[in-house]
Amino acid sequence: MMLLRVIVSPQEIRRVTLQEVPPSVDELCVVLGNTLGLRGKFLLQFEDPDFGNELCNLTDIKDLPTERATLKVLFTFSEPVSDSTLDTASLSSQNSASPSSQNSASPEPPRSGDSSEWPDHFVISDFSHDVEFQLRVANDAYAKDGAVMVISKSVKSEILDRLADSITRITCYPSKDNLESVAKALVAKHPCLREPGSGKGWYCWRFSLIFKMGNYRQRMMAAGCPEVLVNKRKRKGNTKPVKKAKKGEINYLPEPPDGQSTVKSDKDRETMLLEVQKREPDLHLLDELMTATFSQRRQEIIGDEPLISAVKDRWPALFSERQLSAEFSRIVTKDLLESFLDGLDALVPGVLQMYGEAAASGRRVRLSSILSCLQKEDTNQNKRAAVLLGLPCYLAEDSSDIIRMCDAHGETLDVLMSGMQVGLLIGHEGPLHDAFPLDVFNVALVIEEKIILHDLRDVSTGFAMLLGAIYCLNLEYPRNMKYSFEFLQRVVMNIKPDQCSARIHGLRNKMLRYRM
């Protein structure tokens, strides 16, 4: 018998008992894949006692310590062994089955939800044997006299099909920059494919990939890929606007993990409904059931677009700080609160300096009152609150329907929440004499004029949970504060920072000058 501590992600660390140790690392991968419901290719690392328990790749089963050991799972891209890894939570439950070996002969077919972060260096996989042979001969000729390859229609079709297949394993909707990186990687690996009439040598390949990806999505839609189908559906006689992942979601619309049927997901959901009604629910059990039903929940929220009240009736466990953070981690593979606070703290000095200059110039009068609050009580929490509450003012946005102060002895909640589709209620005692309360006793998250989460400890936690709820419930950013939320996403959380608008790009560059 052997006891294993398996680190799937920082948020998911599992305890596994093996009745007997598998004879090889490959078979151990299969066993862990079945036990933990891990999909895709992964590597195993172990804490080596000979090196002070530092992590080392597990290549020989005999290297494992006896009786008990700690393993770490590293998910990889399509290559069996790659420098690029994705350390993320499993999207299936402990009872799901999906045998996975790191040395399988061929990669899995594209599946919605198998998306991962776009790699820093796109890897061009091998083509068919005859195409590889032609490219090898042409590359040799290019090295001798610089002659480019005359590409036949069949060879070009094969190349584009294989590239589209590799791209779809990462995302069905690559950006122009993504396709540019693929075209560059293709020409770098096979210089014989350079375009003689193009200064960059890959320009036309990028355009070919744009059209190929459109055709490839049509094929995926015919095959029933959920992520593509949801973007092509019709509603009330009109084509629905594209609802592809817009905010850097990694697992936007995942397929159910192998072994997790609709019937089983419904049973797991019913078990959760009973568990959350208990005075002291089993949080570990809820974590496992929420992970197992992740795909079904995303299919309902994105596909059906129900009211939040309906979501709360079906998935009440989601509406807690713990589960919103876990759900955000499954969608974006980032720790919500830690990433938010770390990113915010790094920006606080520069942003406050920007606010000070704007207030001194007279362009933003309200910023003066926000900064004056810090002179009374200059705590770290108040600095964070000043940055967050001053952001819409600095960007000239109206936050009155999104952020509201709430006196415990003032107006009723129904009056305060009137017109709030998405926002925060910041509770304080007594009349508010400052721009924001220095002593906050409660922060509540409001969606569709209903409180869905309360007793948040401070303003910064409230903003983090609000951002998490927008991702988890597939909401649009409030129009009146779209630039503020874009700043939180792309600058504070560093999610798709290379795709920010011109306004946020200019603001980020301005902050960099303050940090120099």
Side-chain angles (χ1 to χ4, degrees):
M1 180 180 293
M2 187 172 193
L3 181 63
L4 297 177
R5 177 175 175 265
V6 184
I7 304 172
V8 181
S9 77
Q11 295 78 31
E12 186 173 0
I13 302 176
R14 308 285 281 273
R15 178 189 177 105
V16 177
T17 302
L18 302 180
Q19 297 302 320
E20 58 182 23
V21 180
S24 68
V25 176
D26 291 347
E27 293 187 43
L28 177 61
C29 289
V30 173
V31 171
L32 292 179
N34 289 336
T35 304
L36 302 179
L38 306 180
R39 289 194 298 140
K41 300 178 184 299
F42 59 88
L43 307 175
L44 291 177
Q45 294 183 336
F46 74 105
E47 291 185 354
D48 193 336
D50 295 334
F51 295 96
N53 288 332
E54 292 293 328
L55 289 172
C56 298
N57 283 4
L58 181 62
T59 57
D60 190 337
I61 199 70
K62 295 179 182 178
D63 292 336
L64 274 181
T66 57
E67 295 186 359
R68 62 182 60 191
T70 296
L71 298 177
K72 183 173 183 179
V73 177
L74 291 179
F75 292 92
T76 65
F77 294 108
S78 58
E79 296 296 318
V81 180
S82 171
D83 291 336
S84 299
T85 58
L86 176 63
D87 185 8
T88 181
S90 167
L91 302 183
S92 56
S93 69
Q94 185 174 358
N95 297 325
S96 303
S98 176
S100 176
S101 171
Q102 82 178 62
N103 291 325
S104 56
S106 60
E108 294 178 338
R111 298 180 59 172
S112 174
D114 282 349
S115 313
S116 55
E117 297 263 9
W118 190 267
D120 293 333
H121 303 286
F122 188 87
V123 178
I124 303 295
S125 58
D126 291 340
F127 303 109
S128 62
H129 182 69
D130 62 313
V131 172
E132 282 291 326
F133 180 78
Q134 294 181 58
L135 290 173
R136 186 163 55 250
V137 172
N139 283 330
D140 291 341
Y142 182 87
K144 289 180 181 179
D145 53 20
V148 297
M149 181 180 180
V150 178
I151 308 173
S152 66
K153 184 177 180 180
S154 60
V155 170
K156 186 172 183 178
S157 179
E158 156 98 14
I159 291 173
L160 292 174
D161 276 335
R162 186 61 61 92
L163 293 177
D165 180 80
S166 299
I167 291 168
T168 309
R169 296 177 191 278
I170 305 173
T171 175
C172 293
Y173 297 92
S175 67
K176 290 183 178 180
D177 289 339
N178 296 151
L179 296 180
E180 180 177 311
S181 70
V182 177
K184 287 180 179 178
L186 175 65
V187 172
K189 183 175 181 179
H190 300 291
C192 65
L193 297 178
R194 291 184 62 87
E195 301 150 359
S198 169
K200 297 179 179 179
W202 47 260
Y203 198 72
C204 290
W205 281 109
R206 191 190 73 174
F207 272 97
S208 296
L209 284 170
I210 292 174
F211 291 111
K212 173 56 69 173
M213 287 305 300
N215 294 335
Y216 205 82
R217 282 192 291 269
Q218 292 291 332
R219 290 162 57 182
M220 294 188 68
M221 181 176 64
C225 175
E227 185 175 0
V228 181
L229 283 174
V230 76
N231 295 331
K232 297 296 183 181
R233 63 188 176 183
K234 303 239 180 204
R235 180 169 295 176
K236 296 181 180 179
N238 297 321
T239 302
K240 182 174 177 60
V242 171
K243 286 189 63 62
K244 61 187 177 183
K246 296 179 180 179
K247 298 190 288 290
E249 298 96 330
I250 305 295
N251 297 302
Y252 179 65
L253 189 59
E255 284 187 354
D258 295 335
Q260 184 75 11
S261 64
T262 303
V263 174
K264 186 177 185 308
S265 291
D266 283 335
K267 289 182 179 179
D268 288 342
R269 187 184 63 81
E270 292 171 0
T271 302
M272 278 194 291
L273 289 175
L274 297 175
E275 191 65 30
V276 295
Q277 295 175 14
K278 297 179 181 179
R279 180 174 297 178
E280 295 183 359
D282 186 338
L283 298 180
H284 180 67
L285 175 62
L286 288 177
D287 289 343
E288 292 186 342
L289 293 175
M290 287 292 287
T291 301
T293 55
F294 173 57
S295 172
Q296 180 186 358
R297 191 163 51 254
R298 292 296 288 175
Q299 296 281 350
E300 291 182 7
I301 290 174
I302 295 173
D304 300 337
E305 295 184 334
L307 294 174
I308 302 305
S309 57
V311 178
K312 194 170 184 179
D313 289 341
R314 284 185 58 81
W315 305 98
L318 176 62
F319 295 84
S320 68
E321 185 175 341
R322 177 189 179 99
Q323 294 303 335
L324 274 179
S325 298
E327 190 86 340
F328 181 87
S329 179
R330 285 186 283 266
I331 296 170
V332 187
T333 68
K334 274 181 178 282
D335 184 280
L336 175 58
L337 195 56
E338 181 180 349
S339 298
F340 188 88
L341 295 181
D342 287 349
L344 182 62
D345 287 341
L347 299 171
V348 162
V351 173
L352 290 179
Q353 189 174 349
M354 283 196 315
Y355 289 178
E357 290 187 0
S361 67
R363 291 183 292 112
R364 299 287 185 268
V365 178
R366 179 167 168 75
L367 284 176
S368 299
S369 57
I370 289 177
L371 294 174
S372 65
C373 292
L374 297 181
Q375 297 176 0
K376 297 181 179 180
E377 196 169 335
D378 190 15
T379 65
N380 189 43
Q381 291 292 351
N382 286 337
K383 286 182 179 179
R384 291 172 175 174
V387 168
L388 294 169
L389 296 175
L391 187 60
C393 178
Y394 185 85
L395 294 170
E397 294 182 313
D398 181 10
S399 62
S400 59
D401 288 337
I402 296 119
I403 303 170
R404 292 180 180 174
M405 307 301 166
C406 173
D407 181 1
H409 308 291
E411 297 176 294
T412 63
L413 287 177
D414 288 341
V415 174
L416 285 168
M417 293 187 295
S418 176
M420 291 185 70
Q421 292 303 307
V422 178
L424 292 176
L425 279 180
I426 302 173
H428 59 90
E429 290 279 359
L432 183 61
H433 300 293
D434 302 303
F436 65 89
L438 299 176
D439 187 15
V440 174
F441 76 88
N442 192 348
V443 178
L445 178 56
V446 178
I447 297 181
E448 294 178 358
E449 299 184 347
K450 300 289 184 183
I451 292 177
I452 67 164
L453 187 62
H454 59 88
D455 290 335
L456 300 175
R457 52 188 173 275
D458 50 51
V459 173
S460 53
T461 302
F463 269 88
M465 289 299 118
L466 177 57
L467 187 66
I470 288 174
Y471 273 82
C472 296
L473 299 172
N474 196 41
L475 304 175
E476 299 288 342
Y477 289 148
R479 182 173 298 179
N480 290 345
M481 280 181 59
K482 65 177 182 178
Y483 290 114
S484 295
F485 279 95
E486 184 188 353
F487 179 86
L488 297 181
Q489 174 200 325
R490 304 195 190 280
V491 182
V492 175
M493 294 290 290
N494 200 36
I495 300 174
K496 294 292 181 182
D498 56 331
Q499 297 180 13
C500 58
S501 65
R503 190 170 186 182
I504 298 303
H505 182 71
L507 178 59
R508 182 173 58 188
N509 289 344
K510 188 174 182 179
M511 284 192 306
L512 290 175
R513 293 198 296 270
Y514 286 107
R515 296 172 62 181
M516 293 177 62

